[in-house]
Amino acid sequence: SNVCSPTCNRAKCDKYKSVDYKISTVDAEDVRKGDYVLCPFPTEIRESIIKTKEQARFAGHLASDGCVAQNGSIGVRISMHPNEKKYVLDSVSPVFDSFNAKVEPRMPKDGSKVVTVRSGKKSFHRYAEQLVTGTSINKHFTEEVMLLDPELQKHVLGAYIQSDGSYNQILGQIEITTVSKHLAYQLQVMCYRNKILAFSSKQPRRQNKGAFRTKNLEYYIVSIPKTYVY
């Protein structure tokens, strides 16, 4: 079976393996206490161009706060807040170096607090576009990441959480944000492949003071409950 539930594993119950569950769509308002929800996900592992934890973390930062040029353009860019420079650069610099791409953090001329590292090398661009494709609401990981060994996927998740995640002190849970429903689903799947429970929800966008300007009217939150935060 390609369906596995961490909860079932902890309860040492394998009933889910012998039941022919039907796939259906249910509105959240119709879910009641005591109902069970099964989430099928692929457990297949394939060889990947990602071989090291630095390459895995590069993929995570690229998906969260990075961009691969589209439509025939060449370029790879990763952005970060000045306070994030050390741990982001520690992760992405070895990958930049492997393509002889200089790591030269730049501050924008408009005065905004965003540091950017970028490269226009074709070989680097070809590598990056095999990991992440699309932009904004269409951004998503490729199979090079989604069918990666779960041990390396943990580093993808870790980097993504560092860039676009936060710790909710009230609920004691990790919350990851994205405007892409594709990434929200894929982040959940990577959690499941590592036996980590995760949920996602869609939220309306509020233009708070100090927040990045965006035309997107909604975003997604992937939540990891406190029992899985360690």
Side-chain angles (χ1 to χ4, degrees), residues 113-137:
K113 293 183 178 180
V114 178
V115 180
T116 302
V117 289
R118 63 181 67 192
S119 172
K121 284 186 170 289
K122 289 184 178 180
S123 58
F124 193 16
H125 180 272
R126 285 195 295 268
Y127 176 79
E129 69 180 354
Q130 292 181 76
L131 305 177
V132 176
T133 186
T135 59
S136 188
I137 62 174

Side-chain angles (χ1 to χ4, degrees), residues 39-209:
C39 302
F41 62 91
T43 58
E44 179 184 0
I45 298 174
R46 292 185 189 173
E47 279 294 316
S48 172
I49 59 175
I50 296 176
K51 305 296 183 184
T52 67
K53 70 176 184 179
E54 288 80 15
Q55 292 172 338
R57 295 187 68 80
F58 170 78
H61 288 303
L62 182 63
S64 58
D65 280 338
C67 178
V68 182
Q70 308 287 305
N71 302 320
S73 299
I74 302 296
V76 179
R77 183 179 70 225
I78 295 179
S79 302
M80 67 208 80
H81 188 277
N83 294 340
E84 301 171 339
K85 277 178 59 176
K86 184 181 186 307
Y87 62 74
V88 174
L89 292 180
D90 283 350
S91 297
V92 305
S93 291
V95 183
F96 272 74
D97 292 342
S98 67
F99 288 91
N100 294 317
K102 293 183 179 180
V103 179
E104 298 177 333
R106 305 176 186 177
M107 291 292 290
K109 295 180 181 179
D110 62 6
S112 60
K113 293 183 178 180
V114 178
V115 180
T116 302
V117 289
R118 63 181 67 192
S119 172
K121 284 186 170 289
K122 289 184 178 180
S123 58
F124 193 16
H125 180 272
R126 285 195 295 268
Y127 176 79
E129 69 180 354
Q130 292 181 76
L131 305 177
V132 176
T133 186
T135 59
S136 188
I137 62 174
N138 295 313
K139 186 185 288 188
H140 60 276
F141 289 112
T142 67
E143 286 191 348
E144 292 286 347
V145 180
M146 294 310 299
L147 299 181
L148 182 65
D149 186 308
E151 285 300 311
L152 283 172
Q153 283 184 331
K154 286 181 181 177
H155 294 289
V156 178
L157 285 168
Y160 200 107
I161 290 170
Q162 279 189 320
S163 288
D164 269 345
S166 61
Y167 179 67
N168 186 319
Q169 294 184 338
I170 297 176
L171 300 178
Q173 65 184 21
I174 290 175
E175 296 177 349
I176 313 167
T177 58
T178 176
V179 297
S180 168
K181 66 179 180 181
H182 310 292
L183 279 176
Y185 168 73
Q186 290 179 323
L187 291 166
Q188 274 188 276
V189 168
M190 280 195 276
C191 285
Y192 297 157
R193 284 168 65 91
N194 279 281
K195 298 183 178 180
I196 299 171
L197 195 61
F199 309 94
S200 68
S201 61
K202 183 168 65 174
Q203 303 291 332
R205 171 70 69 180
R206 296 183 179 87
Q207 293 293 352
N208 296 324
K209 185 178 180 181

Side-chain angles (χ1 to χ4, degrees), residues 4-17 36 195 228:
C4 176
S5 165
T7 303
C8 294
N9 288 341
R10 291 203 309 271
K12 297 181 180 180
C13 174
D14 60 0
K15 182 179 178 181
Y16 67 94
K17 293 181 179 180
Y36 291 86
K195 298 183 178 180
Y228 289 85

